[in-house]
Protein backbone atom coordinates (compact mmCIF):
# COMPACT_ATOMS: atom_id res chain seq x y z
CA UNK A 1 0.00 0.00 0.00
CA UNK A 2 1.09 3.57 -0.66
CA UNK A 3 0.93 6.22 2.02
CA UNK A 4 0.54 9.99 2.23
CA UNK A 5 1.68 11.75 5.39
CA UNK A 6 0.16 15.02 6.56
CA UNK A 7 2.42 16.72 9.08
CA UNK A 8 6.18 16.32 8.80
CA UNK A 9 7.17 17.04 12.39
CA UNK A 10 8.19 14.56 15.07
CA UNK A 11 5.23 12.23 14.70
CA UNK A 12 5.15 12.44 10.92
CA UNK A 13 8.73 11.20 10.88
CA UNK A 14 7.88 8.41 13.33
CA UNK A 15 4.97 7.27 11.16
CA UNK A 16 7.10 7.45 8.00
CA UNK A 17 9.84 5.26 9.48
CA UNK A 18 7.22 2.82 10.74
CA UNK A 19 5.66 2.46 7.28
CA UNK A 20 9.05 1.90 5.67
CA UNK A 21 9.94 -0.73 8.27
CA UNK A 22 6.60 -2.41 7.49
CA UNK A 23 7.50 -2.55 3.79
CA UNK A 24 5.18 0.22 2.61
CA UNK A 25 5.93 3.07 0.21
CA UNK A 26 5.65 6.71 1.26
CA UNK A 27 4.21 8.38 -1.84
CA UNK A 28 4.06 11.98 -0.63
CA UNK A 29 4.41 14.28 2.36
CA UNK A 30 2.48 17.48 3.04
CA UNK A 31 3.27 20.16 5.60
CA UNK A 32 2.56 23.89 5.31
CA UNK A 33 6.21 24.33 6.31
CA UNK A 34 7.50 23.36 2.88
CA UNK A 35 11.11 23.01 4.00
CA UNK A 36 10.08 20.59 6.75
CA UNK A 37 8.04 18.53 4.30
CA UNK A 38 10.95 18.47 1.86
CA UNK A 39 13.37 17.30 4.54
CA UNK A 40 11.19 14.35 5.54
CA UNK A 41 10.32 13.49 1.93
CA UNK A 42 14.01 13.39 1.10
CA UNK A 43 14.68 11.00 3.97
CA UNK A 44 11.96 8.53 2.95
CA UNK A 45 12.06 8.76 -0.83
CA UNK A 46 8.75 10.57 -1.22
CA UNK A 47 7.59 13.57 -3.18
CA UNK A 48 6.35 16.79 -1.59
CA UNK A 49 2.65 17.53 -2.03
CA UNK A 50 2.42 21.27 -2.59
CA UNK A 51 -1.23 21.32 -1.50
CA UNK A 52 -3.55 19.05 0.43
CA UNK A 53 -5.69 18.78 -2.67
CA UNK A 54 -2.74 17.31 -4.52
CA UNK A 55 -2.40 14.58 -1.90
CA UNK A 56 -6.12 13.86 -1.59
CA UNK A 57 -6.44 13.66 -5.36
CA UNK A 58 -3.56 11.22 -5.83
CA UNK A 59 -5.16 7.93 -6.86
CA UNK A 60 -2.09 5.87 -5.95
CA UNK A 61 -2.41 6.74 -2.25
CA UNK A 62 -4.32 4.18 -0.20
CA UNK A 63 -3.71 5.46 3.33
CA UNK A 64 -3.21 8.89 4.83
CA UNK A 65 -1.50 9.38 8.17
CA UNK A 66 -2.66 12.50 9.97
CA UNK A 67 0.22 13.64 12.18
CA UNK A 68 -0.81 17.23 12.80
CA UNK A 69 -1.72 19.20 15.92
CA UNK A 70 -4.91 17.79 17.40
CA UNK A 71 -7.12 20.76 16.59
CA UNK A 72 -6.65 20.00 12.88
CA UNK A 73 -7.49 16.30 13.03
CA UNK A 74 -11.17 16.51 12.14
CA UNK A 75 -10.61 18.60 9.02
CA UNK A 76 -7.87 16.38 7.61
CA UNK A 77 -9.43 13.05 8.54
CA UNK A 78 -12.80 13.93 7.06
CA UNK A 79 -11.29 15.25 3.84
CA UNK A 80 -9.33 12.02 3.46
CA UNK A 81 -12.43 9.91 4.08
CA UNK A 82 -14.48 11.83 1.53
CA UNK A 83 -11.98 10.88 -1.20
CA UNK A 84 -11.89 7.25 -0.11
CA UNK A 85 -8.58 7.04 1.76
CA UNK A 86 -8.07 4.93 4.87
CA UNK A 87 -6.79 7.05 7.75
CA UNK A 88 -4.34 6.49 10.58
CA UNK A 89 -4.63 9.48 12.92
CA UNK A 90 -2.46 10.48 15.83
CA UNK A 91 -4.09 10.53 19.26
CA UNK A 92 -6.07 12.17 20.69
CA UNK A 93 -8.67 11.63 18.02
CA UNK A 94 -9.96 15.21 18.43
CA UNK A 95 -10.47 17.96 20.98
CA UNK A 96 -14.23 17.51 21.39
CA UNK A 97 -16.59 14.56 21.46
CA UNK A 98 -18.68 16.15 18.72
CA UNK A 99 -15.67 16.30 16.41
CA UNK A 100 -14.69 12.73 17.28
CA UNK A 101 -18.20 11.43 16.58
CA UNK A 102 -18.34 13.28 13.27
CA UNK A 103 -15.01 11.76 12.20
CA UNK A 104 -16.05 8.23 13.16
CA UNK A 105 -19.44 8.48 11.47
CA UNK A 106 -18.12 10.02 8.27
CA UNK A 107 -15.41 7.35 7.89
CA UNK A 108 -18.06 4.66 8.41
CA UNK A 109 -20.35 6.20 5.80
CA UNK A 110 -17.46 6.58 3.36
CA UNK A 111 -16.50 2.93 3.78
CA UNK A 112 -12.94 3.68 4.91
CA UNK A 113 -11.07 2.55 7.99
CA UNK A 114 -10.13 4.97 10.76
CA UNK A 115 -7.40 4.01 13.18
CA UNK A 116 -6.27 6.19 16.08
CA UNK A 117 -2.73 5.73 17.38
CA UNK A 118 -3.46 4.34 20.82
CA UNK A 119 -2.04 1.06 22.03
CA UNK A 120 1.62 1.65 21.14
CA UNK A 121 2.93 1.54 24.70
CA UNK A 122 3.79 5.25 25.03
CA UNK A 123 1.44 6.27 27.79
CA UNK A 124 2.51 9.46 29.52
CA UNK A 125 5.55 10.69 27.58
CA UNK A 126 5.17 12.87 24.53
CA UNK A 127 7.90 14.31 22.30
CA UNK A 128 9.32 17.62 23.42
CA UNK A 129 10.56 18.90 20.04
CA UNK A 130 8.71 21.06 17.46
CA UNK A 131 5.74 20.99 19.81
CA UNK A 132 5.03 24.59 20.82
CA UNK A 133 1.36 24.01 19.96
CA UNK A 134 1.16 21.52 22.82
CA UNK A 135 1.55 24.39 25.27
CA UNK A 136 -1.69 25.94 24.00
CA UNK A 137 -4.75 24.14 25.43
CA UNK A 138 -6.90 25.51 22.60
CA UNK A 139 -4.80 23.48 20.15
CA UNK A 140 -3.70 20.50 22.25
CA UNK A 141 -6.45 20.13 24.84
CA UNK A 142 -3.98 20.61 27.70
CA UNK A 143 -2.10 17.93 29.63
CA UNK A 144 -5.15 15.89 30.62
CA UNK A 145 -6.14 15.46 26.97
CA UNK A 146 -2.76 15.47 25.28
CA UNK A 147 -0.56 13.77 27.87
CA UNK A 148 -2.64 11.29 29.86
CA UNK A 149 -5.07 10.04 27.23
CA UNK A 150 -3.00 6.98 26.29
CA UNK A 151 -3.07 5.79 29.89
CA UNK A 152 -6.81 6.45 30.10
CA UNK A 153 -7.30 4.31 27.00
CA UNK A 154 -5.10 1.50 28.30
CA UNK A 155 -6.81 1.37 31.70
CA UNK A 156 -10.32 1.52 30.28
CA UNK A 157 -9.62 -1.38 27.94
CA UNK A 158 -8.13 -3.34 30.85
CA UNK A 159 -10.69 -2.57 33.55
CA UNK A 160 -13.88 -1.40 31.86
CA UNK A 161 -15.76 1.86 31.72
CA UNK A 162 -14.83 4.80 33.94
CA UNK A 163 -17.64 6.40 35.95
CA UNK A 164 -15.95 9.47 37.45
CA UNK A 165 -12.62 11.27 37.27
CA UNK A 166 -11.07 13.44 39.97
CA UNK A 167 -8.01 15.59 39.33
CA UNK A 168 -5.66 15.51 42.32
CA UNK A 169 -2.83 17.51 40.75
CA UNK A 170 -1.92 19.25 37.51
CA UNK A 171 -1.01 15.93 35.86
CA UNK A 172 -2.59 13.39 38.25
CA UNK A 173 -6.10 11.96 38.43
CA UNK A 174 -8.12 9.31 40.19
CA UNK A 175 -10.25 7.14 37.94
CA UNK A 176 -13.25 5.42 39.53
CA UNK A 177 -14.40 2.56 37.35
CA UNK A 178 -18.00 1.49 37.01
CA UNK A 179 -17.15 -1.64 39.00
CA UNK A 180 -15.89 0.44 41.94
CA UNK A 181 -12.14 0.12 41.44
CA UNK A 182 -10.10 3.31 41.86
CA UNK A 183 -6.80 3.83 40.03
CA UNK A 184 -4.45 6.80 40.23
CA UNK A 185 -2.82 8.00 37.02
CA UNK A 186 0.26 10.22 37.12
CA UNK A 187 2.21 11.75 34.28
CA UNK A 188 5.89 10.93 34.44
CA UNK A 189 8.10 13.86 35.48
CA UNK A 190 9.10 15.97 32.51
CA UNK A 191 6.79 14.36 29.99
CA UNK A 192 9.38 14.89 27.27
CA UNK A 193 10.39 11.40 26.23
CA UNK A 194 10.88 10.44 22.61
CA UNK A 195 8.37 8.10 20.93
CA UNK A 196 9.25 4.42 20.90
CA UNK A 197 9.91 3.80 17.21
CA UNK A 198 9.65 0.03 17.50
CA UNK A 199 6.31 0.29 19.28
CA UNK A 200 4.97 2.55 16.56
CA UNK A 201 6.24 0.22 13.86
CA UNK A 202 4.40 -2.67 15.49
CA UNK A 203 1.26 -0.53 15.76
CA UNK A 204 1.42 0.45 12.07
CA UNK A 205 1.90 -3.22 11.12
CA UNK A 206 -1.16 -4.07 13.20
CA UNK A 207 -3.28 -1.41 11.49
CA UNK A 208 -2.08 -2.51 8.04
CA UNK A 209 -3.05 -6.09 8.89
CA UNK A 210 -6.52 -4.88 9.90
CA UNK A 211 -6.94 -3.05 6.60
CA UNK A 212 -5.81 -6.07 4.58
CA UNK A 213 -7.83 -8.68 6.45
CA UNK A 214 -10.82 -6.77 7.80
CA UNK A 215 -9.95 -7.91 11.34
CA UNK A 216 -10.90 -5.47 14.09
CA UNK A 217 -7.95 -3.53 15.53
CA UNK A 218 -7.14 -3.86 19.19
CA UNK A 219 -8.04 -0.17 19.64
CA UNK A 220 -11.17 0.88 17.76
CA UNK A 221 -12.36 4.40 16.96
CA UNK A 222 -14.96 3.95 19.69
CA UNK A 223 -12.15 3.21 22.17
CA UNK A 224 -10.49 6.46 21.10
CA UNK A 225 -13.80 8.27 21.60
CA UNK A 226 -14.17 6.85 25.12
CA UNK A 227 -10.59 7.75 26.02
CA UNK A 228 -11.31 11.33 24.97
CA UNK A 229 -14.47 11.36 27.11
CA UNK A 230 -12.37 10.38 30.14
CA UNK A 231 -9.74 13.00 29.33
CA UNK A 232 -12.34 15.74 29.01
CA UNK A 233 -13.85 14.73 32.37
CA UNK A 234 -10.36 14.96 33.88
CA UNK A 235 -9.94 18.46 32.48
CA UNK A 236 -13.33 19.52 33.84
CA UNK A 237 -12.33 18.14 37.23
CA UNK A 238 -9.08 20.11 37.20
CA UNK A 239 -11.13 23.25 36.52
CA UNK A 240 -13.94 22.56 39.00
CA UNK A 241 -11.93 21.05 41.84
CA UNK A 242 -14.34 18.14 42.22
CA UNK A 243 -14.93 14.71 40.74
CA UNK A 244 -16.65 14.79 37.35
CA UNK A 245 -18.73 12.14 35.62
CA UNK A 246 -17.56 10.80 32.28
CA UNK A 247 -20.08 12.15 29.78
CA UNK A 248 -20.46 10.47 26.40
Amino acid sequence: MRVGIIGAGTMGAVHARAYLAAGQEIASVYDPRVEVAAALAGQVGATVAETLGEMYGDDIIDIISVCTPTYLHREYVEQAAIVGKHVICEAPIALTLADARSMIDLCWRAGVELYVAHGHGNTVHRPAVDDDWRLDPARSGGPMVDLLIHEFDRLRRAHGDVATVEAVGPDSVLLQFAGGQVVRVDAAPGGGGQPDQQAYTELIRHFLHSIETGDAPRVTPEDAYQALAIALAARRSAESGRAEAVVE
Side-chain angles (χ1 to χ4, degrees), residues 16-213:
R17 290 191 293 268
Y19 284 114
L20 291 180
Q24 309 303 308
E25 176 186 345
I26 310 299
S28 65
V29 177
Y30 172 80
D31 194 295
R33 303 165 298 174
V34 178
E35 70 285 357
V36 177
L40 179 58
Q43 294 170 19
V44 300
T47 62
V48 174
E50 295 185 4
T51 66
L52 281 170
E54 181 182 331
M55 178 176 287
Y56 291 133
D58 191 339
D59 291 338
I60 73 168
I61 292 177
D62 306 295
I63 303 169
I64 288 181
S65 258
V66 176
C67 304
T68 66
T70 309
Y71 73 101
L72 297 171
H73 285 181
R74 177 180 176 179
E75 174 186 353
Y76 294 154
V77 168
E78 292 189 347
Q79 288 178 359
I82 288 169
V83 296
K85 313 294 188 187
H86 300 301
V87 185
I88 296 178
C89 180
E90 259 304 307
I93 183 173
L95 291 182
T96 70
L97 293 178
D99 280 358
R101 178 56 60 204
S102 176
M103 293 159 67
I104 293 168
D105 289 349
L106 180 57
C107 287
W108 181 83
R109 291 196 304 270
V112 301
E113 299 296 334
L114 171 61
Y115 303 99
V116 182
H118 287 293
H120 49 66
N122 291 342
T123 56
V124 293
H125 284 296
R126 297 302 298 266
V129 293
D130 70 31
D131 284 353
D132 290 347
W133 62 270
R134 294 188 189 279
L135 302 178
D136 179 4
R139 294 188 290 170
S140 70
M144 296 298 183
V145 175
D146 186 57
L147 187 63
L148 293 178
I149 196 164
H150 293 290
E151 193 71 352
F152 296 154
D153 166 66
R154 184 186 69 82
L155 289 167
R156 176 187 164 273
R157 287 185 290 113
H159 300 295
D161 289 338
V162 175
T164 63
V165 185
E166 182 178 2
V168 292
D171 296 321
S172 301
V173 300
L174 297 177
L175 303 181
Q176 180 162 356
F177 291 86
Q181 183 180 9
V182 177
V183 176
R184 179 173 176 136
V185 180
D186 298 291
Q194 288 296 318
D196 183 335
Q197 184 65 58
Q198 183 57 40
Y200 264 89
T201 297
E202 292 174 0
L203 186 68
I204 291 294
R205 289 184 189 275
H206 171 70
F207 287 153
L208 292 170
H209 175 79
S210 293
I211 291 172
E212 292 169 349
T213 64

